[in-house]
Amino acid sequence: MADHESTALIHTPKRRIGPWLLIILLFSVSAWAAKPVTYKINGLNKELKQNATLYLDNLPTIKPGQLDEYRYEIRKALQKSLMALGYYQPTINFHSNKKATHQLIININPGQPVIIRSLHINLEGDASKDKAFTQLIRQSRLRVGDILNDGEYDALKTKLNDLALTRGYFDADLSEHQIRVYPDEQAADITLTMKSGRRYRFGPVIYDAPVSEATRQLLNTMINFEPGQPYRSELLSQLNMDFSATGYFKSIEVRALKGKAVDGEVPIFVSVIPKTAWELETGIGFSTDEGPRVSLSVDNPWMDEKGHSFTSDIKVSQQVQELSGRYKIPYGNPLLEYYSLDSGYQRSTIQDTDSQLVSVSVNKWKKRPGNWDQDFFIRLDYENYTQGLQNSSNLLLIPGMSFDRRKAVGSPMDPRSGHLYNLKIETSAKAWQSDADFIKVWSRAKWLTTFFRRHRLISRIEQGVIWVDDINSIPPSIRFFTGGDQTVRGYSYDSISPRDSSGQLTGGRYLSVASIEYDYEIIENWRIAFFVDSGTATNAYSNNQPGWKTGIGPGIRWVTPLGPLKLDFAFAISEPGSPWQIHFSMGPDL
């Protein structure tokens, strides 16, 4: 409730108590069993009526026989509801509804509103030079000439206090905060004065005693402020989230020791308890590309005090069986800078491909928030495969690099807008004892935008090229195939590529895919979609094998906490008779 001084006098009628106890006793049972009183309010606009209803709803349940006893409380509640929105001289009349005895008809004339005549917001101390406070006051909805609104006044007081705490004004005090109301003049004068004192600064980081020196050095790489920097609570919140995102700790505490500030510098206390047990996670899923699949993940997020970690994954579907492991070694901030030692085995039986791939790699990762994430790697692949009529094996030493950039606005699982860019370059040469010479470049871009609230547009392009003398000299894991849920719908997974003399798929040197999709939200969390996909994997764009393939069709999107569930009905219009396929997949659009 706002702070007021008012010259208004409000008439409060006396409560009327029935003179005869016997009558009260006789009617108490019937009153108790009767329907509770409801209210019909006339004479107010939508905003005033909603606020009056809210205040009346906070009254206790009233039976018709108790109406006279509660008229004072009803009138008082209505007056308060109107005063909160600037109406101090209402006329309120009650009438009984003869047809519905449980309904009270209330006719209200709110009168003339109180207008803000003067508004004085004063900042004293360091806050007077802080642009954040200036912006907050500028954005306030309190304006001279507007109708007085207690909610806006209270909101501004709360925001001033909250901003003071979040920006390190720990001695701040709203020394003056009042509204002077003159109902007869329909005027109000508002005064707010904050004495902020000085703004405190970040001091040293103080670790809890059990935190080892090696762990302190690891955590120091994640500290996002410098001693002497002006205090901002959001930096501590972000630091807490960063510590949690590492997956290292089962307990995290980050807080400012305000009572131990020295010369305006506040020490920051940090306490963490590492995870010591192995973690097990299982999952199941389905997509039309791979069919049903199950997964098992085994992690040890804290191998030692330097932040080394290990994870192993098993994924099994009808077409792909995969076992992989990764050992991570931070060389800076463990969220952004680390080496990884990766190894894995993959068995693939997709279309005309039967492949067994063993891979080992060393990666140097550097993630740059808001910019390109980069991975420099060197990988050793051994692949034994049958691809169409070809039976072969390859040993390849492959250095390379990849760059990724993702920006999503809104929920990570269902963003409103954003983009995704990927670029990967890898090569191999007989000069370092590989079985083939090649250079492979692959890139993808995806854009998402929402307009007019319910309309979404998703566009995607993908392009790849392999410089190699003979496509048969490299294994199928390096070649290009396309088609399926994530590329060209209407075609089976990896079913688009050149074919050999027996008509079996061989994979191609070039890859091109383009897609555009329009979504419309029909009701909350449900969308209908229409898409057009087109693409090819080929050895030469000039010949007609396999040519560009296009799929079109409608779809349904159900937005869940895990991301949208997508069901598409795609027609392969490049084929005779335009055969169709159902595609089911799940996951965010970016």
Side-chain angles (χ1 to χ4, degrees), residues 130-311:
D130 192 329
K131 292 181 180 179
F133 283 88
T134 305
Q135 183 177 8
L136 173 63
I137 294 171
R138 187 184 303 118
Q139 292 175 346
S140 169
R141 297 176 65 178
L142 286 178
R143 295 284 187 275
V144 172
D146 286 354
I147 297 174
L148 177 65
N149 186 311
D150 283 358
E152 299 298 340
Y153 170 76
D154 289 334
L156 180 57
K157 287 199 306 179
T158 300
K159 289 177 181 179
L160 284 169
N161 283 320
D162 290 346
L163 186 62
L165 287 176
T166 59
R167 293 183 69 78
Y169 297 91
F170 301 130
D171 301 327
D173 176 47
L174 272 175
S175 59
E176 186 177 10
H177 46 95
Q178 62 180 353
I179 305 175
R180 292 186 176 91
V181 180
Y182 306 91
D184 292 338
E185 302 176 27
Q186 287 88 48
D189 300 325
I190 300 176
T191 302
L192 282 172
T193 300
M194 171 170 275
K195 294 182 178 180
S196 70
R198 65 179 171 182
R199 184 179 184 183
Y200 284 76
R201 303 180 303 279
F202 284 111
V205 176
I206 299 175
Y207 289 100
D208 196 12
V211 179
S212 69
E213 182 59 32
T215 302
R216 296 181 188 203
Q217 292 180 8
L218 178 68
L219 296 179
N220 281 340
T221 64
M222 304 177 68
I223 300 299
N224 54 1
F225 55 83
E226 297 288 340
Q229 180 180 337
Y231 179 90
R232 288 166 51 202
S233 64
E234 62 264 30
L235 292 180
L236 293 190
S237 299
Q238 184 62 52
L239 183 62
N240 199 319
M241 289 189 289
D242 288 347
F243 286 165
S244 178
T246 63
Y248 291 153
F249 308 111
K250 61 182 179 182
S251 175
I252 301 168
E253 183 181 5
V254 179
R255 57 186 171 90
L257 301 176
K258 301 171 187 176
K260 295 187 177 182
V262 178
D263 294 330
E265 292 194 351
V266 181
I268 306 302
F269 176 78
V270 174
S271 177
V272 294
I273 300 177
K275 296 177 180 178
T276 55
W278 288 76
E279 298 178 348
L280 180 67
E281 182 178 345
T282 60
I284 59 174
F286 177 86
S287 72
T288 44
D289 278 354
E290 296 184 35
R293 61 178 179 269
V294 296
S295 63
L296 174 67
S297 176
V298 181
D299 301 317
N300 189 332
W302 188 257
M303 298 290 290
D304 62 19
E305 295 178 341
K306 295 183 179 180
H308 293 201
S309 61
F310 174 77
T311 183

Side-chain angles (χ1 to χ4, degrees), residues 451 454-458 516-521 528-532 555 557:
F451 53 99
R454 293 179 177 270
H455 305 262
R456 290 160 60 93
L457 199 63
I458 305 169
I516 189 165
E517 175 178 311
Y518 167 75
D519 295 355
Y520 176 74
E521 185 180 49
I528 56 173
F530 184 81
F531 58 86
V532 179
R557 308 288 181 260

Side-chain angles (χ1 to χ4, degrees), residues 49 75 245 247 256 268 333 418 422 462 499 520 580:
K49 187 174 182 178
R75 184 180 296 274
I268 306 302
N333 184 326
N422 308 108
E462 187 176 355
R499 296 179 180 270
Y520 176 74
W580 62 281

Side-chain angles (χ1 to χ4, degrees), residues 372-375 377 400-405 420-426 440-445 463-464:
W372 291 91
D373 298 339
Q374 63 187 40
D375 172 27
F377 60 86
M401 64 187 75
S402 68
F403 300 90
D404 303 279
R405 183 175 181 177
L420 174 68
Y421 302 122
N422 308 108
L423 173 65
K424 188 174 184 179
I425 304 171
E426 50 190 359
K440 179 180 179 180
V441 178
W442 171 84
S443 63
R444 178 179 60 177
Q463 182 63 50

Side-chain angles (χ1 to χ4, degrees), residues 234-439:
E234 62 264 30
L235 292 180
L236 293 190
S237 299
Q238 184 62 52
L239 183 62
N240 199 319
M241 289 189 289
D242 288 347
F243 286 165
S244 178
T246 63
Y248 291 153
F249 308 111
K250 61 182 179 182
S251 175
I252 301 168
E253 183 181 5
V254 179
R255 57 186 171 90
L257 301 176
K258 301 171 187 176
K260 295 187 177 182
V262 178
D263 294 330
E265 292 194 351
V266 181
I268 306 302
F269 176 78
V270 174
S271 177
V272 294
I273 300 177
K275 296 177 180 178
T276 55
W278 288 76
E279 298 178 348
L280 180 67
E281 182 178 345
T282 60
I284 59 174
F286 177 86
S287 72
T288 44
D289 278 354
E290 296 184 35
R293 61 178 179 269
V294 296
S295 63
L296 174 67
S297 176
V298 181
D299 301 317
N300 189 332
W302 188 257
M303 298 290 290
D304 62 19
E305 295 178 341
K306 295 183 179 180
H308 293 201
S309 61
F310 174 77
T311 183
S312 180
D313 295 294
I314 300 174
K315 299 178 182 178
V316 179
S317 67
Q318 183 177 357
Q319 295 179 313
V320 180
Q321 301 84 47
E322 183 176 356
L323 171 64
S324 63
R326 169 174 289 181
Y327 191 93
K328 291 175 61 174
I329 306 170
Y331 65 89
N333 184 326
L335 289 176
L336 306 177
E337 301 166 315
Y338 57 89
Y339 297 102
S340 70
L341 307 177
D342 295 6
S343 62
Y345 168 81
Q346 184 183 80
R347 172 70 185 272
S348 302
T349 51
I350 303 171
Q351 303 295 340
D352 300 325
T353 303
D354 188 348
S355 165
Q356 298 185 69
L357 171 65
V358 178
S359 180
V360 180
S361 69
V362 178
N363 302 63
K364 182 180 181 181
W365 299 85
K366 189 173 183 67
K367 297 183 177 295
R368 305 174 184 270
N371 209 322
W372 291 91
D373 298 339
Q374 63 187 40
D375 172 27
F376 294 97
F377 60 86
I378 184 166
R379 188 176 77 243
L380 182 65
D381 286 355
Y382 175 75
E383 188 167 358
N384 191 347
Y385 61 90
T386 297
Q387 182 64 54
L389 295 175
Q390 183 186 10
N391 292 285
S392 187
S393 62
N394 290 91
L395 181 66
L396 301 172
L397 184 62
I398 305 173
M401 64 187 75
S402 68
F403 300 90
D404 303 279
R405 183 175 181 177
R406 178 182 183 271
K407 180 181 179 181
V409 178
S411 165
M413 292 294 102
D414 186 41
R416 297 190 309 274
S417 63
H419 60 254
L420 174 68
Y421 302 122
N422 308 108
L423 173 65
K424 188 174 184 179
I425 304 171
E426 50 190 359
T427 186
S428 192
K430 294 178 180 178
W432 51 69
Q433 304 305 307
S434 287
D435 288 342
D437 297 316
F438 73 87
I439 300 173

